[in-house]
């Protein structure tokens, strides 16, 4: 390595160090943060993401809401893939970022955590006040009678009804998996109460988050002393709107994400690094007592 490369490496190390220091100060000085998390937060728990660090789409098209509602074959395809993909989400364990955020909430510095993830890992790490912006994969709703049920129970029913399903596949985001099977052979269970169509309790692409949820998050933002974005490229407007709102309200916005994000011009501080690495080193300097 020549001298120039050495200096650049040293400069980068220092820059990262200063950014992490500033993040520690920001959190220590806060009393009521809103946190917005994305796929980067769950990637270290083995849950695949849709986008690479440059924000580029890595996957084939996901399922769309209208398609799921209107086409029985789409539901057969969805559930066939989900039978293989769901255990990866169900068995995932929270990582250092989830635990650190729960600890920061525990000392009263986080008023609300909004996650775009559907894996419930924040709750499993002990985080209490969580809004699952895009729903939760561990719950199922009936489109006929509205009854809520457990995804675990549906997994049993799907497995019993479809012994022809393969045992494994390549995991994809959102509890999906790439598998080779003729989906027309799939028997999709219906609601045990009314025989209505069952849907995972998540917001698919092409569907919207309920306006009252958005409004209540706007309210929390206006009462907060800043927004902390963790592990999200904010490519999806559903999450980006909170960044825009915080900027409109004049709240400081801090982001921890290794790649480019849609809110890059709005931040007071950006820690350009992996959130799990950052939060693993943050607990000690933080005043969590
Ligand atoms: Zn029903």
């Amino acid at each position: 390595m020549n001298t120039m490369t050495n200096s650049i490496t040293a400069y980068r190390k220092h820059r990262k160090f200063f950014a992490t220091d500033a993040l520690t100060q920001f959190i220590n000085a806060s009393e009521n943060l809103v946190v917005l998390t994305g796929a980067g937060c769950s990637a270290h728990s083995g849950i695949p993401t849709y986008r690479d660090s440059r924000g580029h789409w890595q996957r084939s098209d996901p399922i769309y809401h209208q398609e799921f509602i209107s086409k029985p074959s789409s539901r057969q395809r969805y559930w066939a893939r989900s039978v293989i993909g769901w255990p990866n989400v169900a068995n995932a364990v929270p990582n250092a970022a989830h635990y650190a955020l729960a600890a920061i909430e525990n000392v009263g510095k986080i008023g609300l955590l909004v996650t775009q993830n559907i894996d419930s890992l924040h709750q499993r790490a002990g985080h209490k006040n969580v809004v699952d912006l895009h729903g939760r994969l561990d719950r199922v709703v009936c489109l006929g009678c509205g009854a809520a049920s457990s995804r675990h129970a549906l997994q049993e029913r799907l497995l019993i009804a479809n012994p022809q399903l393969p045992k494994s596949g390549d995991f994809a985001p959102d509890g999906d998996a790439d598998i080779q099977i003729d989906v027309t052979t799939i028997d999709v269970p219906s609601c045990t109460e009314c025989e209505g169509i069952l849907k995972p309790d998540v917001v698919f692409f092409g569907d919207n988050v309920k306006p009252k949820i958005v409004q209540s998050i706007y309210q929390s933002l206006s009462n907060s002393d800043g927004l902390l974005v963790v592990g999200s490229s904010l490519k999806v407007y559903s999450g980006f709107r909170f960044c825009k709102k915080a900027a409109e309200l004049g709240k400081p916005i801090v982001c921890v994400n290794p790649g480019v994000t849609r809110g890059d011009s709005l931040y007071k501080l950006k820690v350009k690094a992996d959130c799990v690495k950052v939060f693993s080193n943050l607990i000690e300097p933080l005043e969590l007592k």
Side-chain angles (χ1 to χ4, degrees):
M1 233 194 287
N2 62 35
T3 319
M4 179 61 95
T5 319
N6 275 336
S7 325
I8 293 171
T9 312
Y11 167 72
R12 285 194 177 134
K13 262 189 192 163
H14 275 281
R15 193 180 55 180
K16 216 166 257 184
F17 175 73
F18 289 134
T20 312
D21 261 7
L23 171 68
T24 307
Q25 280 171 10
F26 173 73
I27 296 173
N28 278 337
S30 304
E31 290 178 350
N32 181 16
L33 283 175
V34 172
V35 178
L36 175 63
T37 69
C41 211
S42 291
H44 279 267
S45 293
I47 298 187
T49 61
Y50 280 112
R51 294 172 197 278
D52 63 19
S53 63
R54 287 166 300 162
H56 294 156
W57 195 259
Q58 304 189 84
R59 307 281 322 164
S60 55
D61 266 4
I63 190 157
Y64 281 80
H65 182 77
Q66 203 48 42
E67 201 189 329
F68 185 91
I69 303 293
S70 59
K71 282 196 197 160
S73 61
S74 292
R75 294 194 290 275
Q76 285 175 305
R77 181 173 186 273
Y78 175 84
W79 289 117
R81 296 169 63 94
S82 174
V83 168
I84 310 304
W86 157 247
N88 181 45
V89 176
N91 300 328
V93 290
N95 61 53
H98 298 109
Y99 285 116
L101 290 167
I104 300 167
E105 180 196 45
N106 195 38
V107 293
K109 293 184 179 296
I110 297 175
L112 180 69
L113 182 141
V114 180
T115 185
Q116 301 169 88
N117 302 334
I118 56 176
D119 49 39
S120 320
L121 287 176
H122 288 294
Q123 290 92 335
R124 280 190 252 167
H127 212 107
K128 293 186 184 72
N129 202 10
V130 180
V131 170
D132 300 286
L133 193 62
H134 298 153
R136 284 175 66 149
L137 211 55
D138 58 358
R139 290 193 303 234
V140 174
V141 281
C142 169
L143 297 176
C145 68
S149 54
S150 134
R151 177 67 182 79
H152 288 283
L154 182 61
Q155 182 79 356
E156 298 275 304
R157 294 178 67 199
L158 280 159
L159 286 170
I160 291 168
N162 298 284
Q164 78 280 28
L165 274 166
K167 296 284 169 272
S168 62
D170 289 331
F171 296 133
D174 293 347
D176 187 20
D178 295 321
I179 56 167
Q180 301 296 325
I181 193 173
D182 172 9
V183 295
T184 59
T185 66
I186 301 298
D187 181 0
V188 178
S190 53
C191 174
T192 50
E193 304 288 323
C194 77
E195 295 192 4
I197 295 172
L198 295 176
K199 179 183 161 293
D201 191 9
V202 298
V203 178
F204 282 137
F205 285 81
D207 190 10
N208 292 312
V209 176
K210 288 191 180 81
K212 70 172 188 189
I213 295 179
V214 174
Q215 287 309 321
S216 98
I217 298 168
Y218 283 170
Q219 191 57 49
S220 299
L221 269 176
S222 87
N223 298 335
S224 76
D225 44 26
L227 175 67
L228 175 61
V229 178
V230 181
S232 175
S233 64
L234 298 177
K235 284 278 173 179
V236 181
Y237 183 75
S238 170
F240 177 62
R241 68 180 134 200
F242 301 114
C243 204
K244 256 179 72 184
K245 188 69 176 180
E248 269 171 45
L249 292 165
K251 305 287 180 183
I253 309 168
V254 171
C255 174
V256 183
N257 197 63
V260 174
T261 87
R262 197 172 171 182
D264 279 355
S265 65
L266 302 174
Y267 306 140
K268 172 189 161 175
L269 167 73
K270 180 167 177 186
V271 182
K272 216 175 164 203
D274 180 276
C275 63
V276 174
K277 282 187 191 141
V278 170
F279 281 99
S280 304
N281 295 317
L282 210 63
I283 284 296
E284 241 170 78
L286 281 174
E287 294 155 8
L288 295 181
K289 287 171 199 117

mmCIF file of all heavy atoms in Angstrom, residues 216-243:
data_model
loop_
_atom_site.group_PDB
_atom_site.id
_atom_site.type_symbol
_atom_site.label_atom_id
_atom_site.label_comp_id
_atom_site.label_asym_id
_atom_site.label_seq_id
_atom_site.Cartn_x
_atom_site.Cartn_y
_atom_site.Cartn_z
ATOM 1 N N SER A 216 -51.286 9.356 12.395
ATOM 2 C CA SER A 216 -50.819 9.235 13.783
ATOM 3 C C SER A 216 -49.281 9.258 13.845
ATOM 4 O O SER A 216 -48.705 9.756 14.814
ATOM 5 C CB SER A 216 -51.443 8.021 14.469
ATOM 6 O OG SER A 216 -50.571 6.942 14.444
ATOM 7 N N ILE A 217 -48.628 8.776 12.808
ATOM 8 C CA ILE A 217 -47.151 8.864 12.775
ATOM 9 C C ILE A 217 -46.721 10.324 12.563
ATOM 10 O O ILE A 217 -45.766 10.803 13.191
ATOM 11 C CB ILE A 217 -46.555 7.928 11.699
ATOM 12 C CG1 ILE A 217 -46.908 6.468 12.028
ATOM 13 C CG2 ILE A 217 -45.041 8.095 11.599
ATOM 14 C CD1 ILE A 217 -46.633 5.479 10.919
ATOM 15 N N TYR A 218 -47.455 11.051 11.699
ATOM 16 C CA TYR A 218 -47.161 12.486 11.503
ATOM 17 C C TYR A 218 -47.266 13.219 12.843
ATOM 18 O O TYR A 218 -46.469 14.080 13.165
ATOM 19 C CB TYR A 218 -48.140 13.113 10.508
ATOM 20 C CG TYR A 218 -47.866 12.811 9.044
ATOM 21 C CD1 TYR A 218 -48.800 13.143 8.064
ATOM 22 C CD2 TYR A 218 -46.666 12.219 8.641
ATOM 23 C CE1 TYR A 218 -48.561 12.883 6.726
ATOM 24 C CE2 TYR A 218 -46.426 11.945 7.306
ATOM 25 C CZ TYR A 218 -47.379 12.282 6.346
ATOM 26 O OH TYR A 218 -47.132 12.025 5.032
ATOM 27 N N GLN A 219 -48.285 12.842 13.623
ATOM 28 C CA GLN A 219 -48.487 13.471 14.927
ATOM 29 C C GLN A 219 -47.302 13.178 15.855
ATOM 30 O O GLN A 219 -46.772 14.083 16.509
ATOM 31 C CB GLN A 219 -49.808 12.950 15.542
ATOM 32 C CG GLN A 219 -50.267 13.712 16.784
ATOM 33 C CD GLN A 219 -50.447 15.211 16.509
ATOM 34 O OE1 GLN A 219 -51.099 15.593 15.533
ATOM 35 N NE2 GLN A 219 -49.852 16.046 17.346
ATOM 36 N N SER A 220 -46.889 11.907 15.869
ATOM 37 C CA SER A 220 -45.722 11.549 16.697
ATOM 38 C C SER A 220 -44.482 12.317 16.259
ATOM 39 O O SER A 220 -43.677 12.745 17.091
ATOM 40 C CB SER A 220 -45.418 10.053 16.596
ATOM 41 O OG SER A 220 -46.499 9.310 17.061
ATOM 42 N N LEU A 221 -44.337 12.491 14.926
ATOM 43 C CA LEU A 221 -43.181 13.243 14.418
ATOM 44 C C LEU A 221 -43.225 14.685 14.893
ATOM 45 O O LEU A 221 -42.207 15.259 15.273
ATOM 46 C CB LEU A 221 -43.187 13.230 12.884
ATOM 47 C CG LEU A 221 -42.444 12.114 12.179
ATOM 48 C CD1 LEU A 221 -42.653 12.213 10.677
ATOM 49 C CD2 LEU A 221 -40.941 12.158 12.487
ATOM 50 N N SER A 222 -44.434 15.263 14.863
ATOM 51 C CA SER A 222 -44.509 16.671 15.239
ATOM 52 C C SER A 222 -44.243 16.858 16.738
ATOM 53 O O SER A 222 -43.770 17.905 17.159
ATOM 54 C CB SER A 222 -45.826 17.313 14.779
ATOM 55 O OG SER A 222 -46.805 17.123 15.738
ATOM 56 N N ASN A 223 -44.493 15.835 17.547
ATOM 57 C CA ASN A 223 -44.182 15.908 18.980
ATOM 58 C C ASN A 223 -42.746 15.478 19.297
ATOM 59 O O ASN A 223 -42.316 15.563 20.444
ATOM 60 C CB ASN A 223 -45.113 14.984 19.780
ATOM 61 C CG ASN A 223 -46.568 15.395 19.647
ATOM 62 O OD1 ASN A 223 -46.857 16.557 19.374
ATOM 63 N ND2 ASN A 223 -47.485 14.452 19.823
ATOM 64 N N SER A 224 -42.030 14.965 18.285
ATOM 65 C CA SER A 224 -40.713 14.368 18.546
ATOM 66 C C SER A 224 -39.605 15.411 18.504
ATOM 67 O O SER A 224 -39.836 16.556 18.099
ATOM 68 C CB SER A 224 -40.412 13.315 17.484
ATOM 69 O OG SER A 224 -40.037 13.959 16.274
ATOM 70 N N ASP A 225 -38.392 14.981 18.897
ATOM 71 C CA ASP A 225 -37.284 15.907 18.694
ATOM 72 C C ASP A 225 -36.346 15.424 17.588
ATOM 73 O O ASP A 225 -35.207 15.843 17.522
ATOM 74 C CB ASP A 225 -36.546 16.217 20.001
ATOM 75 C CG ASP A 225 -36.291 15.004 20.852
ATOM 76 O OD1 ASP A 225 -36.209 13.906 20.281
ATOM 77 O OD2 ASP A 225 -36.178 15.145 22.070
ATOM 78 N N GLY A 226 -36.832 14.588 16.701
ATOM 79 C CA GLY A 226 -36.055 14.215 15.533
ATOM 80 C C GLY A 226 -36.427 12.848 14.991
ATOM 81 O O GLY A 226 -37.144 12.083 15.643
ATOM 82 N N LEU A 227 -35.938 12.584 13.785
ATOM 83 C CA LEU A 227 -36.189 11.296 13.130
ATOM 84 C C LEU A 227 -34.857 10.588 12.914
ATOM 85 O O LEU A 227 -33.902 11.189 12.403
ATOM 86 C CB LEU A 227 -36.895 11.522 11.782
ATOM 87 C CG LEU A 227 -37.120 10.287 10.910
ATOM 88 C CD1 LEU A 227 -38.119 9.319 11.547
ATOM 89 C CD2 LEU A 227 -37.617 10.678 9.508
ATOM 90 N N LEU A 228 -34.815 9.321 13.295
ATOM 91 C CA LEU A 228 -33.627 8.501 13.071
ATOM 92 C C LEU A 228 -34.003 7.389 12.086
ATOM 93 O O LEU A 228 -34.871 6.567 12.381
ATOM 94 C CB LEU A 228 -33.155 7.901 14.407
ATOM 95 C CG LEU A 228 -31.993 6.903 14.376
ATOM 96 C CD1 LEU A 228 -30.717 7.533 13.814
ATOM 97 C CD2 LEU A 228 -31.719 6.357 15.782
ATOM 98 N N VAL A 229 -33.369 7.414 10.908
ATOM 99 C CA VAL A 229 -33.640 6.397 9.881
ATOM 100 C C VAL A 229 -32.558 5.324 9.983
ATOM 101 O O VAL A 229 -31.372 5.652 9.984
ATOM 102 C CB VAL A 229 -33.613 7.043 8.468
ATOM 103 C CG1 VAL A 229 -33.841 5.987 7.389
ATOM 104 C CG2 VAL A 229 -34.641 8.163 8.355
ATOM 105 N N VAL A 230 -32.970 4.080 10.096
ATOM 106 C CA VAL A 230 -31.991 2.993 10.274
ATOM 107 C C VAL A 230 -32.194 1.895 9.220
ATOM 108 O O VAL A 230 -33.251 1.268 9.164
ATOM 109 C CB VAL A 230 -32.119 2.358 11.687
ATOM 110 C CG1 VAL A 230 -31.083 1.253 11.886
ATOM 111 C CG2 VAL A 230 -31.969 3.412 12.783
ATOM 112 N N GLY A 231 -31.170 1.704 8.375
ATOM 113 C CA GLY A 231 -31.189 0.582 7.430
ATOM 114 C C GLY A 231 -32.288 0.635 6.394
ATOM 115 O O GLY A 231 -32.927 -0.376 6.126
ATOM 116 N N SER A 232 -32.487 1.824 5.819
ATOM 117 C CA SER A 232 -33.493 1.909 4.757
ATOM 118 C C SER A 232 -33.005 2.820 3.642
ATOM 119 O O SER A 232 -32.417 3.876 3.902
ATOM 120 C CB SER A 232 -34.818 2.448 5.302
ATOM 121 O OG SER A 232 -35.738 2.621 4.242
ATOM 122 N N SER A 233 -33.257 2.407 2.413
ATOM 123 C CA SER A 233 -32.905 3.244 1.262
ATOM 124 C C SER A 233 -34.013 4.266 1.003
ATOM 125 O O SER A 233 -33.835 5.188 0.221
ATOM 126 C CB SER A 233 -32.711 2.369 0.020
ATOM 127 O OG SER A 233 -33.937 1.736 -0.310
ATOM 128 N N LEU A 234 -35.141 4.111 1.680
ATOM 129 C CA LEU A 234 -36.316 4.990 1.539
ATOM 130 C C LEU A 234 -36.794 5.097 0.099
ATOM 131 O O LEU A 234 -37.393 6.085 -0.289
ATOM 132 C CB LEU A 234 -36.019 6.387 2.087
ATOM 133 C CG LEU A 234 -35.666 6.491 3.575
ATOM 134 C CD1 LEU A 234 -35.332 7.933 3.934
ATOM 135 C CD2 LEU A 234 -36.820 6.004 4.445
ATOM 136 N N LYS A 235 -36.518 4.071 -0.687
ATOM 137 C CA LYS A 235 -36.929 4.096 -2.102
ATOM 138 C C LYS A 235 -38.451 4.061 -2.219
ATOM 139 O O LYS A 235 -39.026 4.569 -3.167
ATOM 140 C CB LYS A 235 -36.338 2.889 -2.853
ATOM 141 C CG LYS A 235 -34.878 3.046 -3.159
ATOM 142 C CD LYS A 235 -34.653 3.867 -4.398
ATOM 143 C CE LYS A 235 -33.163 4.157 -4.583
ATOM 144 N NZ LYS A 235 -32.876 4.938 -5.777
ATOM 145 N N VAL A 236 -39.090 3.413 -1.244
ATOM 146 C CA VAL A 236 -40.546 3.295 -1.296
ATOM 147 C C VAL A 236 -41.151 4.521 -0.622
ATOM 148 O O VAL A 236 -40.775 4.876 0.497
ATOM 149 C CB VAL A 236 -41.012 1.996 -0.584
ATOM 150 C CG1 VAL A 236 -42.521 1.838 -0.644
ATOM 151 C CG2 VAL A 236 -40.344 0.790 -1.232
ATOM 152 N N TYR A 237 -42.092 5.169 -1.301
ATOM 153 C CA TYR A 237 -42.664 6.424 -0.802
ATOM 154 C C TYR A 237 -43.307 6.247 0.572
ATOM 155 O O TYR A 237 -43.259 7.147 1.420
ATOM 156 C CB TYR A 237 -43.692 6.980 -1.792
ATOM 157 C CG TYR A 237 -44.231 8.309 -1.317
ATOM 158 C CD1 TYR A 237 -43.452 9.462 -1.419
ATOM 159 C CD2 TYR A 237 -45.482 8.413 -0.705
ATOM 160 C CE1 TYR A 237 -43.902 10.676 -0.942
ATOM 161 C CE2 TYR A 237 -45.943 9.626 -0.220
ATOM 162 C CZ TYR A 237 -45.148 10.750 -0.343
ATOM 163 O OH TYR A 237 -45.596 11.945 0.138
ATOM 164 N N SER A 238 -43.881 5.084 0.779
ATOM 165 C CA SER A 238 -44.537 4.741 2.030
ATOM 166 C C SER A 238 -43.685 5.091 3.255
ATOM 167 O O SER A 238 -44.199 5.568 4.271
ATOM 168 C CB SER A 238 -44.856 3.255 1.973
ATOM 169 O OG SER A 238 -45.282 2.784 3.194
ATOM 170 N N GLY A 239 -42.375 4.879 3.158
ATOM 171 C CA GLY A 239 -41.474 5.230 4.259
ATOM 172 C C GLY A 239 -40.903 6.629 4.077
ATOM 173 O O GLY A 239 -40.767 7.398 5.033
ATOM 174 N N PHE A 240 -40.583 6.984 2.825
ATOM 175 C CA PHE A 240 -39.942 8.278 2.537
ATOM 176 C C PHE A 240 -40.791 9.459 2.991
ATOM 177 O O PHE A 240 -40.278 10.493 3.415
ATOM 178 C CB PHE A 240 -39.638 8.377 1.037
ATOM 179 C CG PHE A 240 -39.039 9.694 0.635
ATOM 180 C CD1 PHE A 240 -37.812 10.102 1.150
ATOM 181 C CD2 PHE A 240 -39.708 10.537 -0.253
ATOM 182 C CE1 PHE A 240 -37.257 11.327 0.787
ATOM 183 C CE2 PHE A 240 -39.163 11.758 -0.611
ATOM 184 C CZ PHE A 240 -37.930 12.163 -0.097
ATOM 185 N N ARG A 241 -42.131 9.300 2.949
ATOM 186 C CA ARG A 241 -42.999 10.433 3.298
ATOM 187 C C ARG A 241 -42.738 10.936 4.727
ATOM 188 O O ARG A 241 -42.938 12.114 5.006
ATOM 189 C CB ARG A 241 -44.472 10.074 3.132
ATOM 190 C CG ARG A 241 -44.974 9.047 4.110
ATOM 191 C CD ARG A 241 -46.449 8.760 3.868
ATOM 192 N NE ARG A 241 -46.665 7.325 3.877
ATOM 193 C CZ ARG A 241 -47.719 6.726 3.338
ATOM 194 N NH1 ARG A 241 -48.634 7.419 2.733
ATOM 195 N NH2 ARG A 241 -47.840 5.419 3.392
ATOM 196 N N PHE A 242 -42.280 10.036 5.630
ATOM 197 C CA PHE A 242 -42.033 10.464 7.021
ATOM 198 C C PHE A 242 -40.760 11.306 7.114
ATOM 199 O O PHE A 242 -40.653 12.191 7.950
ATOM 200 C CB PHE A 242 -41.981 9.250 7.955
ATOM 201 C CG PHE A 242 -43.262 8.466 7.897
ATOM 202 C CD1 PHE A 242 -43.293 7.178 7.395
ATOM 203 C CD2 PHE A 242 -44.464 9.058 8.283
ATOM 204 C CE1 PHE A 242 -44.483 6.482 7.294
ATOM 205 C CE2 PHE A 242 -45.662 8.365 8.184
ATOM 206 C CZ PHE A 242 -45.672 7.073 7.683
ATOM 207 N N CYS A 243 -39.835 11.007 6.211
ATOM 208 C CA CYS A 243 -38.610 11.786 6.130
ATOM 209 C C CYS A 243 -38.955 13.192 5.608
ATOM 210 O O CYS A 243 -38.507 14.198 6.146
ATOM 211 C CB CYS A 243 -37.687 11.062 5.163
ATOM 212 S SG CYS A 243 -35.986 11.410 5.401
#
